[in-house]
Amino acid sequence: MSLLDAEGRLGVDEPLRAALSGLRDTDRRIVGLVILEGYSLAEAAELIGVSEPAAKVRLHRARERMRVALHGRVLEEIQQIGGTQ
């Protein structure tokens, strides 16, 4: 089962799904293992076959990409709400 399939079972909302789907597969896996499933960074690194420092960098970059994507979604929603008043 892919992370995107598991997200539906975990109740991940659509903006977060969209942000996750924009990540590279390895980055999405590290986010899923560490943030959604609670693995330590060392455990997640071992599971995906990268060094712990590499996993840390991937996680940091993935979080930043997701933050930017989610920020954009929030701005779009605010603009839509403002346009309907």
Side-chain angles (χ1 to χ4, degrees), residues 18-37:
L20 283 166
S21 69
L23 299 176
R24 295 180 192 136
D25 288 339
T26 305
D27 295 347
R28 190 170 34 251
R29 287 180 63 204
I30 196 84
V31 167
L33 289 168
V34 174
I35 296 174
L36 298 176
E37 297 184 35

Side-chain angles (χ1 to χ4, degrees), residues 1 9-10 19 21 46 51-52 54 60 66 70 77:
M1 174 184 307
R9 292 182 328 158
L10 294 171
S21 69
E46 185 175 334
S51 68
E52 189 172 347
H60 173 76
M66 290 177 62
L70 290 170
E77 289 182 23

Side-chain angles (χ1 to χ4, degrees), residues 37-73:
E37 297 184 35
Y39 284 88
S40 72
L41 194 56
E43 292 168 327
E46 185 175 334
L47 286 169
I48 65 171
V50 299
S51 68
E52 189 172 347
K56 185 175 183 176
V57 169
R58 287 179 181 273
L59 182 60
H60 173 76
R61 290 179 180 165
R63 284 178 168 161
E64 181 62 19
R65 285 187 194 104
M66 290 177 62
R67 185 188 65 76
V68 168
L70 290 170
H71 180 73
R73 291 287 300 252

